[in-house]
Amino acid sequence: MSLLNTYINHIIQVFPDLLLGSMVTIEVTSLGVFFGLIIGTISGLGKLSQKKFYRYPSIVYVDFIRGTPLLVQILLFYYGIPGLFSNVTGKPLSFDPIFAGVIVCSINSGAYIAEIVRAGVQSIDKGQMEAARSLGMTERMAMKEIILPQAFRRIIPPLGNEFIALLKDSSLLAVIGVHELLKNGQLYISRTFASFPVYIAVAMMYLIMTIAISRLVAYSERRLGVSDRN
Amino acid sequence: MIEIKDLYKSFGDLQVLKGISVKVKESEVVCVIGPSGSGKSTFLRCINLLEKPTSGDIWIDGEKITDTHVNINKIREEAGMVFQHFNLFPHKTVLENVSLAPIKVRKLSKEEGEKKALELLRKVGLEDKAHVYPAALSGGQKQRVAIARALAMHPKVMLFDEPTSALDPEMVGEVLNVMNNLAKMGMTMIVVTHEMGFAREVSHRVLFMDDGMIVEEGKPHDIFVHPKNDRTIAFLSKVL
Ligand SMILES: Nc1ncnc2c1ncn2[C@@H]1O[C@H](COP(=O)(O)OP(=O)(O)OP(=O)(O)O)[C@@H](O)[C@H]1O
Ligand SMILES: [Mg+2]
């Protein structure tokens, strides 16, 4: 009984830190998915392009990111790039951890979102592009007005999944000292050694966030996904 | 108006069009009939360059559209296309479907574009549906919107690819009716169709295609009543 009380006390103590950490987690993840969506749209369309000039860099980017661990990408960016910079220029360089976190998360989710966008665009009936082109629209115009708006509706669920995946993976940013949810829990543990209750609390916080987001996605899917097929 | 000379088209090893030459006069209505897979759609799609001809030349209104330096988008503005499966834009209202290209491509103002779109919708009898989404329309209504959408670009020729074959029988009439009116107004039309009634009554000329070639062509009466080619006779005996 006293053990349970101790645990509960620790959880109450750590809770404000975890709440702050969750804010950072959500902030980094949201920015990551936001920029990732931009990067992913460009490289997803790049992968579909007829032109090698767009297609090859997109393929290399997506394969590199999806074929390497996020943890390695984080370390490469946070330590590797400044190291390279000072080796080349002789000047020091260091990144703000949150800045680095957002950049790496954007680049990382961009590659996954590229595949989502590519699949979304390919899932739109070919007749849509043909109808648009037959009206004299350029390919770019047809993409912007006809294909992408339909594709984006369709990719909301997989985008939601990507958001959830990134939210969980952003815990890796603890290794470069981003004060997100996991890191704040760890800092508390290092002061108190209360690992069990704190890690459970951390896990619960992630769970609450992921469940909330998947509900949100399901809701927006219902709102937008009105059967608007021809 | 339209001249097509020695048109060939292959998909990889598959030769689909094997030397097609046709002239279509202004205000002429030409129906293309023939068995499935004979290349009718491909032929039509070559005319607005949705397919790139393998060889051969096409002129629309004196302009050689098969020249490599022509602006394909400009050509497509001149040839309106109506598809079997309508291909309306599901995320746009009926009015937006019709006014989008004039506004984006022809750079009309929104008011102008929508005013014209409403006029066209009135012509096809769907003014009251202007603000609904395509999902709320019947097949026949969708196809009439698709016709209005193509007309909104003021094309010189209208291409129809089996415009009624995805429709329930009771809706075929309303679409053919719109097409009939269009023909009467002097629109140049090339219509791939299984509607032999339409071909017989509305068209000025019928082309029978088989195996990538125009096997027989002539006035509807001649084709339907006195077909000469064996393949035409065999085809007509199946569909009539
Ligand atoms: N994009 C393509 N790639 C490869 N083959 C194609 C393509 N489009 C058409 N074909 C082939 O070309 C041939 C002619 O097709 P087309 O659609 O022009 O025939 P059709 O006369 O319109 O037939 P239907 O009456 O069934 O519509 C068919 O064998 C078809 O499989
Ligand atoms: Mg066809």
Side-chain angles (χ1 to χ4, degrees):
Chain A
M1 207 53 216
S2 76
L3 183 62
L4 184 59
N5 277 340
T6 322
Y7 281 0
I8 289 174
N9 265 334
H10 278 306
I11 291 175
I12 292 169
Q13 293 272 318
V14 77
F15 188 71
D17 287 353
L18 297 190
L19 213 53
L20 283 176
S22 303
M23 298 298 190
V24 174
T25 292
I26 288 184
E27 181 191 327
V28 170
T29 306
S30 304
L31 288 172
V33 169
F34 175 78
F35 292 118
L37 191 55
I38 297 171
I39 299 171
T41 302
I42 294 168
S43 47
L45 293 179
K47 280 192 84 165
L48 291 171
S49 172
Q50 313 285 328
K51 299 196 183 85
K52 289 177 186 165
F53 179 77
Y54 295 119
R55 198 170 64 241
Y56 284 168
S58 308
I59 291 174
V60 170
Y61 158 64
V62 171
D63 285 353
F64 177 80
I65 296 297
R66 300 202 328 152
T68 55
L70 176 57
L71 182 57
V72 174
Q73 294 162 17
I74 291 168
L75 297 173
L76 180 62
F77 187 82
Y78 188 71
Y79 296 114
I81 301 274
L84 173 70
F85 183 84
S86 55
N87 286 346
V88 171
T89 64
K91 292 187 194 112
L93 172 73
S94 68
F95 292 129
D96 171 65
I98 291 203
F99 170 80
V102 168
I103 298 285
V104 176
C105 284
S106 304
I107 293 173
N108 182 269
S109 69
Y112 290 90
I113 293 174
E115 288 297 285
I116 294 172
V117 169
R118 183 186 58 73
V121 166
Q122 281 179 325
S123 79
I124 302 299
D125 181 34
K126 265 179 60 194
Q128 292 288 308
M129 180 55 100
E130 291 186 349
R133 300 306 301 272
S134 78
L135 290 165
M137 289 188 214
T138 61
E139 184 157 16
R140 183 179 284 252
M141 212 184 269
M143 258 304 161
K144 177 165 163 275
E145 298 289 336
I146 306 302
I147 307 296
L148 284 179
Q150 293 183 61
F152 276 128
R153 272 168 221 223
R154 224 173 267 190
I155 67 180
I156 287 175
L159 272 185
N161 290 340
E162 171 57 23
F163 192 99
I164 289 170
L166 188 64
L167 185 116
K168 292 185 288 180
D169 288 347
S170 68
S171 58
L172 292 168
L173 295 174
V175 300
I176 58 168
V178 175
H179 287 231
E180 43 70 70
L181 176 53
L182 176 64
K183 180 73 184 176
N184 276 5
Q186 286 177 326
L187 288 173
Y188 182 86
I189 292 168
S190 69
R191 293 195 302 270
T192 61
F193 305 104
S195 46
F196 181 75
V198 174
Y199 280 131
I200 285 287
V202 166
M204 287 302 141
M205 298 289 277
Y206 278 112
L207 189 62
I208 290 167
M209 288 192 285
T210 53
I211 288 176
I213 291 161
S214 58
R215 287 282 150 78
L216 209 67
V217 171
Y219 173 76
S220 61
E221 203 182 335
R222 273 201 306 279
R223 285 289 308 274
L224 280 164
V226 278
S227 68
D228 54 8
R229 298 286 300 129
N230 251 342
Chain B
M1 175 75 192
I2 297 180
E3 184 173 355
I4 296 156
K5 216 171 149 195
D6 288 329
L7 180 63
Y8 283 82
K9 173 69 187 176
S10 302
F11 294 107
D13 289 337
L14 180 70
Q15 198 174 39
V16 176
L17 298 181
K18 304 172 181 174
I20 292 193
S21 299
V22 186
K23 282 184 195 171
V24 178
K25 292 197 289 278
E26 182 140 19
S27 298
E28 195 176 13
V29 178
V30 174
C31 277
V32 183
I33 60 172
S36 181
S38 55
K40 306 181 296 293
S41 297
T42 306
F43 166 65
L44 214 55
R45 294 158 58 83
C46 281
I47 300 176
N48 72 350
L49 300 180
L50 279 179
E51 300 290 355
K52 195 175 177 304
T54 306
S55 69
D57 288 309
I58 302 172
W59 289 263
I60 296 181
D61 223 9
E63 187 175 11
K64 191 170 171 188
I65 67 167
T66 39
D67 270 351
T68 43
H69 62 266
V70 298
N71 180 344
I72 292 183
N73 299 313
K74 270 271 170 291
I75 299 304
R76 294 204 181 109
E77 290 177 39
E78 313 295 349
M81 181 116 179
V82 175
F83 302 86
Q84 180 176 359
H85 295 288
F86 331 123
N87 297 347
L88 292 182
F89 306 134
H91 60 303
K92 305 253 177 212
T93 64
V94 165
L95 187 65
E96 289 166 344
N97 263 275
V98 180
S99 61
L100 182 70
I103 292 169
K104 296 286 170 190
V105 180
R106 292 251 199 258
K107 309 287 180 208
L108 295 192
S109 72
K110 192 158 180 282
E111 294 74 41
E112 256 180 302
E114 294 191 342
K115 191 164 148 263
K116 290 213 159 155
L118 275 175
E119 269 166 42
L120 282 164
L121 286 173
R122 193 173 314 141
K123 268 189 200 157
V124 299
L126 287 171
E127 206 186 356
D128 55 327
K129 299 288 184 190
H131 299 289
V132 307
Y133 285 87
L137 301 179
S138 72
Q141 292 172 331
K142 283 181 191 170
Q143 197 59 299
R144 281 145 67 198
V145 172
I147 293 172
R149 178 177 70 176
L151 288 173
M153 293 300 285
H154 295 295
K156 292 178 177 146
V157 53
M158 285 283 282
L159 310 171
F160 294 84
D161 192 357
E162 301 194 24
T164 57
S165 54
L167 298 178
D168 293 335
E170 71 269 22
M171 292 168 185
V172 170
E174 61 190 76
V175 172
L176 291 182
N177 207 6
V178 168
M179 292 169 64
N180 203 342
N181 289 339
L182 213 52
K184 280 192 198 133
M185 279 159 34
M187 176 60 79
T188 310
M189 293 161 59
I190 303 179
V191 185
V192 173
T193 187
H194 292 308
E195 288 297 324
M196 297 304 153
F198 180 86
R200 206 175 338 200
E201 278 142 42
V202 180
S203 74
H204 303 114
R205 190 148 52 106
V206 174
L207 311 180
F208 173 68
M209 262 182 84
D210 192 12
D211 196 22
M213 285 174 291
I214 293 175
V215 176
E216 188 167 352
E217 65 168 287
K219 290 203 160 51
H221 179 81
D222 296 336
I223 296 281
F224 288 112
V225 184
H226 309 293
K228 294 188 190 66
N229 189 287
D230 288 344
R231 284 193 272 177
T232 319
I233 294 167
F235 174 75
L236 288 175
S237 73
K238 266 184 257 161
V239 298
L240 286 183

